[in-house]
Amino acid sequence: NAGVMQNPRHLVRRRGQEARLRCSPMKGHSHVYWYRQLPEEGLKFMVYLQKENIIDESGMPKERFSAEFPKEGPSILRIQQVVRGDSAAYFCASSPGQVTDQPQHFGDGTRLSIL
Amino acid sequence: GESVGLHLPTLSVQEGDNSIINCAYSNSASDYFIWYKQESGKGPQFIIDIRSNMDKRQGQRVTVLLNKTVKHLSLQIAATQPGDSAVYFCAERGKLIFGQGTTLQVKP
């Protein structure tokens, strides 16, 4: 039973390029969450999605960042015109339903490096 | 705003000893808490959770205690092993507000 799958594990981009991070939730999970982790810090919530819907994007930067979770396929976190400050580990988590009293399960993250 | 935070950034224990990692939260309405363990290069791994209608919950070698009066929870690890070395986070439900982790170092 595969867990949350993220790819790529490592992504290198030059300033100004676009970064696309993918997340396939656990089987049976229809809710996806994205978090960002800077070195030596805790995870910071970015966005919460269900299939074809953004439920809460209060943690997303207002510009350059977007997320989607289409009916078919993985969830995508997209960062346009990347800057050095976007360098971080980006984690995806999934849960079977609306977060109530069920833990989220995390992938192993995508480490984004901006040159 | 809401926050959770761990008391110590680093905890060093001898192999075989018990470890206690503490966490404070600010939102008195919080009713569900989770402890995660994060090893280097990996994502957070669920350890144990507790609902606010409980004071204590036990797992395999781990116990979580919740004190709602002082808004404090702790994670106790019995007979700490080298494999327990990691960063530990407490989080409260919803959008999972993570505090700064506590790095547990286990000395052989």
Side-chain angles (χ1 to χ4, degrees):
Chain A
N1 187 16
V4 177
M5 303 300 292
Q6 289 187 251
N7 69 83
R9 288 297 311 279
H10 300 274
L11 181 61
V12 179
R13 285 288 178 265
R14 296 188 181 280
R15 281 178 295 173
Q17 291 184 322
E18 178 180 287
R20 281 183 179 241
L21 288 62
R22 296 174 190 79
C23 170
S24 296
M26 283 182 69
K27 187 176 181 181
H29 287 192
S30 59
H31 294 243
V32 164
Y33 315 81
W34 285 94
Y35 295 84
R36 176 164 62 178
Q37 186 175 34
L38 295 171
E40 309 301 323
E41 293 190 11
L43 287 79
K44 296 286 193 285
F45 168 81
M46 298 181 74
V47 63
Y48 163 34
L49 311 102
Q50 296 178 32
K51 286 282 187 181
E52 300 183 280
N53 284 306
I54 296 175
I55 306 302
D56 182 344
E57 57 181 347
S58 58
M60 287 278 270
K62 294 289 186 286
E63 297 177 345
R64 302 187 298 108
F65 284 72
S66 62
E68 62 176 6
F69 189 16
K71 186 177 181 181
E72 301 291 337
S75 175
I76 306 288
L77 179 67
R78 182 184 178 201
I79 311 172
Q80 296 178 290
Q81 299 175 316
V82 295
V83 300
R84 288 249 170 89
D86 297 333
S87 294
Y90 291 83
F91 290 95
C92 169
S94 71
S95 68
Q98 188 173 4
V99 176
T100 53
D101 56 358
Q102 294 171 318
Q104 297 175 20
H105 295 268
F106 284 80
D108 281 338
T110 293
R111 273 111 187 120
L112 176 63
S113 298
I114 308 302
L115 302 179
Chain B
E2 301 167 351
S3 68
V4 291
L6 287 95
H7 290 181
L8 289 175
T10 303
L11 176 66
S12 185
V13 300
Q14 206 70 38
E15 181 179 356
D17 287 351
N18 296 335
S19 303
I20 300 176
I21 301 171
N22 297 302
C23 183
Y25 61 96
S26 62
N27 185 2
S28 56
S30 295
D31 59 357
Y32 175 62
F33 301 90
I34 312 139
W35 280 98
Y36 286 93
K37 167 187 179 183
Q38 186 176 25
E39 297 175 46
S40 180
K42 294 189 176 181
Q45 177 187 354
F46 169 77
I47 302 174
I48 192 168
D49 57 0
I50 187 168
R51 295 168 183 77
S52 60
N53 61 352
M54 304 169 71
D55 297 323
K56 178 180 179 179
R57 191 170 188 209
Q58 287 184 295
Q60 187 177 17
R61 281 201 309 116
V62 294
T63 301
V64 55
L65 299 177
L66 176 62
N67 185 331
K68 295 179 285 295
T69 303
V70 295
K71 291 185 282 189
H72 177 274
L73 68 160
S74 66
L75 177 71
Q76 300 178 1
I77 305 173
T80 312
Q81 303 169 358
D84 295 326
S85 295
V87 180
Y88 289 80
F89 294 98
C90 60
E92 53 183 321
R93 73 128 101 191
K95 294 182 288 192
L96 281 195
I97 301 170
F98 282 84
Q100 298 284 344
T102 288
T103 299
L104 177 63
Q105 299 172 339
V106 182
K107 296 177 287 187

